[in-house]
Amino acid sequence: MCGIVGYIGNRQAAPLLLEGLSRLEYRGYDSAGICVANGELHVEKAKGRLQNLAEKTQNGALLPGTLGIGHTRWATHGQPNDVNSHPHLSENGKVAIVHNGIIENYLELREYLEAKGIRFTSETDSEVVAQLLEVCMQETGTVMDALYMVLHRISGAYALGIISADEPDVMYAARKDAPLLIGFGAGENFIASDVTALVRHTRDVVYLEDGEVAAVSRGGVQIYNAMGQPIEKEHHHIDWEISAAEKGGYEHFMLKEIMEEPEALRRAISPRIREGRVVFDGMQMDLSGYARIMIIACGSSYHVGMVGKYNIEKLCRIPVEVILASEFRYCDPIIDEKTLAVVISQSGETLDTMAALREAKRRGAKILSIVNVVGSSIARESDEVIYTYAGPEIAVATTKAYSTQMAVLDLLAIHLAGLRGTIDEAQYRSFVDAAARIPEQVSEILNDRDRIQYYASLYFNHDSVFFIGRNLDYALGLEGSLKLKEISYIHSEAYASGELKHGTISLIEPGTLVVALGTYTPLFEKAMSNVIEVKARGANVLALTTASNCAEMEKRVDAILSIPDTELPLLPLLGVVPLQLFAYYVALQRGCDIDKPRNLAKSVTVE
Ligand code: M6R
């Protein structure tokens, strides 16, 4: 999705803006632009990769000046081209804005402004902000007063960065429903939509809340609430290493992030196991009284929720509903004070998930979120948050964040089962011990990645793939299938194996690739029957099972992968790793843009 960077200080702004934008490339974009103030406002934009903008500006040298804003755009309103990309100038060229989000009433505002004689240059919703600022400034004389007038007139979601030729010593920022933060330096300050854009320059940040406005100058920052009153905000320290957001010798971030899974899982699991018990330090929420759980998420986070449903229902005997955030918003959900809403999001900024969280809250649910990005909007608006500690995830396709979300949810299920007394002490201990061994077992799987690469080289040419499995293997298949389709562009679907004969089996023909998941031991025999069923119709079967069932499965299939044995609820934590690697190597073989798959964004901040 779109990215924002802004700089004010004593260094040249343009190279810093380009560098900051390059750190946001992973979020997905289709054009980019920068604006630097130097007496007047100078704008350069370029369609396509940021490299085009860097070449056009000679790495920023053609735009001298120490105040500027930059943007990577992911087109929503209007084609990706030089005109529609940001920054947008007002008609008199005095105000420049960058915007993330959507101005919902832009058509009405555009008509109003056109009636006043303002001529628009782009098709975007964002340009109305620049034009309206210019009109309001004629009344107020200052950007700040005009900005408040504009914020009262626009509806929708926005993170805004604003500079004006008339005020060369200040940059403005405003936020509602789209992330924006301020970075504090010495004699220089920054704004950004994502902390990765500025972590090379400062680790001291403040997250803006909805309705807040910041006036950022070289010597300081003043933040105001929605009523225009000055406020003090808590500063956060970013403590992850810069190298965590670099490739470190790997060809792709995705492979690097898969290889980081043992360490990420250790960070997610170890601090939460003490003396054989699951502990969530600092948790204030009393988890014991809920009669029902609703898990709300999108994409891979939703798939984690599916695993959670099977595990929580089995271990804790509480009904769990897993619901896509985009559906939850509009389905008039039934919620009471006995419902716990568990919201899962890597980025903590997914717009649908955020809106669903607010809706659940409005209806009286308590919110427990599982989030990776510290200080993100979802984390801040939850009653309780459990961080996954996966570290920054740059590849669009999630891997280590998915695994750590699942680890946290598994620990939560074990913890709840312990609280409710629905598992006995021996089972509890055994689950906890098994959870502590997971990082080591993931390392074992990663050591066998050559075999997975070999299978990828056999199967990368298929047009269509089916993932089948039952129970936890079905939930696992959903993720395996999404991983494959999003980065390799192969059509792929996941089915509950029992559903095959109710329709899907008609698609199986000689040569069809079926990835048969048979890790869930209680249903292994059933998994075998489904393998036999699809083999009989000529499918090529790549199976995934546990070490103890490998020999049995191997007799029936074309290729086999196995994972170490573990306790049942934890099987998907191991099972997902070969599927992530398989998707990666297939995409590599097909020459795909693995870290930035077409049309996708890392954090989906529009509906
Ligand atoms: O940041 P979130 O966990 O809220 O993101 C949810 C989905 O957008 C995300 O999982 C998406 O499906 C990924 N592309 C999957 O790899």
Side-chain angles (χ1 to χ4, degrees), residues 282-309:
M283 184 179 281
Q284 306 281 322
M285 188 180 260
D286 175 8
L287 294 174
S288 55
Y290 293 102
R292 178 167 163 260
I293 293 176
M294 264 189 160
I295 302 181
I296 305 168
C298 301
S300 293
S301 299
Y302 169 80
H303 298 156
V304 168
M306 288 291 289
V307 172
K309 173 184 167 69

Side-chain angles (χ1 to χ4, degrees), residues 46-334:
K47 186 182 165 190
R49 285 287 146 101
L50 194 58
Q51 187 54 30
N52 302 343
L53 183 64
E55 280 164 18
K56 214 168 169 183
T57 60
Q58 292 179 6
N59 290 320
L62 296 182
L63 293 183
T66 56
L67 165 64
I69 48 179
H71 191 262
T72 45
R73 173 172 186 255
W74 194 82
T76 54
H77 295 61
Q79 294 291 311
N81 59 31
D82 288 6
V83 177
N84 289 332
S85 56
H86 303 211
H88 289 290
L89 284 177
S90 63
E91 195 181 25
N92 67 6
K94 295 274 191 177
V95 181
I97 66 106
V98 286
H99 167 229
N100 288 356
I102 291 179
I103 307 299
E104 283 165 1
N105 58 342
Y106 81 101
L107 282 174
E108 171 199 314
L109 291 170
R110 189 171 171 136
E111 270 173 33
Y112 161 79
L113 290 162
E114 281 173 341
K116 282 182 164 293
I118 301 283
R119 278 166 307 173
F120 279 74
T121 52
S122 78
E123 303 160 82
T124 66
D125 55 325
S126 307
E127 192 184 345
V128 294
V129 177
Q131 305 293 14
L132 195 54
L133 269 168
E134 177 186 313
V135 168
C136 293
M137 276 174 73
Q138 286 158 9
E139 229 177 279
T140 64
T142 66
V143 177
M144 181 60 112
D145 292 337
L147 179 56
Y148 271 96
M149 283 178 78
V150 169
L151 299 183
H152 281 113
R153 293 205 59 175
I154 57 176
S155 57
Y158 51 80
L160 288 167
I162 299 155
I163 58 176
S164 163
D166 291 342
E167 298 185 21
D169 297 317
V170 59
M171 164 171 67
Y172 294 92
R175 138 178 195 150
K176 181 174 162 278
D177 292 341
L180 196 60
L181 53 103
I182 316 285
F184 292 76
E188 59 182 9
N189 291 304
F190 303 80
I191 61 169
S193 52
D194 181 328
V195 75
T196 45
L198 43 81
V199 77
R200 260 146 215 87
H201 307 290
T202 179
R203 288 163 174 278
D204 179 12
V205 303
V206 160
Y207 296 96
L208 289 186
E209 302 288 339
D210 282 355
E212 290 175 354
V213 168
V216 183
S217 57
R218 290 177 180 82
V221 177
Q222 181 60 62
I223 301 174
Y224 302 88
N225 64 16
M227 273 83 70
Q229 295 153 333
I231 51 169
E232 292 299 320
K233 300 266 303 174
E234 186 192 348
H235 284 232
H236 292 260
H237 180 74
I238 307 301
D239 56 6
W240 46 263
E241 290 305 317
I242 291 167
S243 60
E246 287 171 350
K247 279 192 203 151
Y250 287 95
E251 197 177 343
H252 295 101
F253 277 110
M254 183 175 174
L255 183 60
K256 177 185 178 237
E257 287 159 5
I258 294 173
M259 297 304 288
E260 284 172 348
E261 284 184 80
E263 213 27 62
L265 284 164
R266 215 163 269 129
R267 284 197 299 271
I269 296 171
S270 309
R272 281 149 186 161
I273 296 181
R274 219 172 294 137
E275 292 165 14
R277 315 299 306 172
V278 175
V279 282
F280 290 103
D281 280 333
M283 184 179 281
Q284 306 281 322
M285 188 180 260
D286 175 8
L287 294 174
S288 55
Y290 293 102
R292 178 167 163 260
I293 293 176
M294 264 189 160
I295 302 181
I296 305 168
C298 301
S300 293
S301 299
Y302 169 80
H303 298 156
V304 168
M306 288 291 289
V307 172
K309 173 184 167 69
Y310 285 113
N311 281 338
I312 297 170
E313 288 191 338
K314 180 129 182 90
L315 303 190
C316 314
R317 310 310 299 155
I318 308 178
V320 180
E321 189 179 343
V322 196
I323 182 156
L324 292 163
S326 50
E327 289 296 311
F328 179 91
R329 295 178 68 175
Y330 304 113
C331 75
D332 200 5
I334 300 165

Side-chain angles (χ1 to χ4, degrees), residues 297-303 344-351 353 370 373 378 393 395-399 401-402 405 479 482-483 486-487 597 600-604:
C298 301
S300 293
S301 299
Y302 169 80
H303 298 156
I344 309 178
S345 175
Q346 183 284 129
S347 60
E349 301 293 353
T350 302
L351 189 84
T353 312
I370 298 177
V373 178
I378 288 175
E393 193 179 63
V396 164
T398 179
T399 53
Y402 167 91
Q405 285 170 340
E479 179 60 8
L482 177 65
K483 226 54 328 155
E486 70 180 333
I487 59 167
L600 289 178
K602 182 66 183 164
S603 148
V604 183

Side-chain angles (χ1 to χ4, degrees), residues 4 38 46 79 110 140 196 201 277 299 342 352 359 366 387 401 410 441 461 494 496 500 504 506 536 540 607:
I4 289 177
N38 193 3
Q79 294 291 311
R110 189 171 171 136
T140 64
T196 45
H201 307 290
R277 315 299 306 172
V342 176
D352 281 323
E359 182 60 20
K366 282 274 178 264
Y387 284 113
D410 287 344
Q441 292 180 309
N461 257 333
L500 272 182
T504 313
S506 67
N540 268 333
E607 189 172 359

